[in-house]
Amino acid sequence: MTYTQPLGYRLPASQSLPSLSRALERFGWPLWRTEVLRAVSTVSAELLASHGDHGSVYRKWSHDQISESDLVLSHVSDGSIVYRAAEFLDIGHSLMHRMSALPLPVKLDLRCRAQLMDDPGDPERQWTYVLFGTEHQRLEDAFLQLRGIEVYALTVEDDILQDHESDPLWSARSVVWDRVLAPYTRSSPLSISAPEPQVTFDIGESLYYTHMDDEFQAQGKTTVTAVVKEVSRMLGDQAPGDLLEQLTAPIKS
């Protein structure tokens, strides 16, 4: 399971797409926001441990595609470690829209998408077929819990890991998937995607309105309080007593 190599599913066509979108918003995206928090906290912890060599962290996590000079907002505002981590994550996801870009490592790759297709060979339109891609098992598990979803595995002729002989329905699924995917060789199907990370705005707001973190968290935003708590959990006994101050202190560019 990856974002670029999605898994195959189907659900009854009676399940409307708006209801599927609402279900993902209710059950899937809260888990996605947890992954956003973990990603920001991971970069924050690495920046903290770098003893000021932030550039090495950006190069490591971006495969040398992002440098310190790319964090324009952080330089203008003398952004703290947690602010720089947030901006790095946003820039990294913006970068992945480029065809030639290397994706961020799995821990930081927050992309998640369900692509929805009909079978043109089924006049009754009994099923909607879905390709679901993510780098996070928790999101796939949540997707499987949605009403009506069932695994309908993709069939790939040259996939040496597939044992066609032990899968008696392989040939039938192959015919169906060939029909379903055929119209999309030059265009993209309808899709429902996780929101774009906007962590820089969330963290900036949290740093400015320090008394409103509880309210921001209730709105599903990433807050400084949550990041400090998560970084402390990651570091365990190695977490410094002044962790909040170290993560939020302005850094002169």
Side-chain angles (χ1 to χ4, degrees):
M1 169 198 63
T2 68
Y3 179 81
T4 55
Q5 294 180 316
L7 300 181
Y9 303 88
R10 67 180 183 181
L11 73 158
S14 57
Q15 173 80 308
S16 71
L17 301 189
S19 67
L20 177 62
S21 182
R22 287 193 297 271
L24 283 171
E25 176 66 29
R26 181 178 178 184
F27 301 109
W29 300 157
L31 291 175
W32 175 84
R33 286 189 283 271
T34 299
E35 299 299 341
V36 173
L37 170 62
R38 290 178 174 176
V40 175
S41 301
T42 296
V43 179
S44 295
E46 291 257 347
L47 290 174
L48 186 66
S50 72
H51 303 294
D53 185 13
H54 298 159
S56 65
V57 177
Y58 306 139
R59 292 191 297 273
K60 168 188 171 182
W61 286 105
S62 71
H63 307 298
D64 288 320
Q65 297 171 106
I66 300 174
S67 67
E68 198 156 11
S69 62
D70 293 312
L71 277 65
V72 177
L73 295 178
S74 294
H75 287 293
V76 169
S77 61
D78 294 331
S80 59
I81 282 178
V82 66
Y83 190 83
R84 290 167 188 261
E87 186 177 5
F88 170 80
L89 197 64
D90 286 350
I91 291 173
H93 280 79
S94 175
L95 180 76
M96 287 192 292
H97 287 294
R98 304 175 188 171
M99 292 296 294
S100 60
L102 295 173
L104 296 180
V106 170
K107 276 189 177 182
L108 306 187
D109 190 341
L110 301 169
R111 294 175 299 171
C112 180
R113 180 175 62 186
Q115 297 173 285
L116 309 162
M117 294 158 282
D118 293 322
D119 178 1
D122 176 14
E124 297 182 0
R125 293 295 192 267
Q126 182 179 2
W127 298 97
T128 297
Y129 295 85
V130 187
L131 295 179
F132 186 76
T134 178
E135 302 290 348
H136 300 280
Q137 184 65 48
R138 283 157 44 95
L139 295 177
E140 185 194 358
D141 292 343
F143 183 73
L144 277 168
Q145 298 303 311
L146 299 182
R147 182 164 60 90
I149 290 287
E150 63 179 55
V151 175
Y152 197 74
L154 280 168
T155 54
V156 182
E157 284 285 357
D158 58 356
D159 188 345
I160 60 173
L161 297 179
Q162 283 191 312
D163 184 354
H164 302 174
E165 294 182 1
S166 64
D167 184 357
L169 299 179
W170 188 92
S171 295
R173 290 201 319 278
S174 179
V175 171
V176 172
W177 275 117
D178 284 348
R179 285 200 309 262
V180 168
L181 296 174
Y184 302 106
T185 55
R186 295 187 177 181
S187 62
S188 299
L190 176 68
S191 64
I192 301 172
S193 299
E196 281 287 307
Q198 295 181 333
V199 206
T200 311
F201 177 81
D202 284 3
I203 292 297
E205 194 175 38
S206 179
L207 286 165
Y208 190 79
Y209 299 103
T210 56
H211 62 291
M212 294 182 63
D213 266 15
D214 288 344
E215 181 178 336
F216 291 150
Q217 284 185 252
Q219 296 171 10
K221 297 181 178 181
T222 305
T223 65
V224 171
T225 299
V227 172
V228 171
K229 183 178 179 180
E230 179 64 15
V231 172
S232 179
R233 185 196 66 80
M234 290 177 173
L235 298 180
D237 294 340
Q238 303 302 314
D242 61 344
L243 180 60
L244 172 61
E245 290 75 13
Q246 290 198 41
L247 291 181
T248 58
I251 301 172
K252 295 292 182 180
S253 300

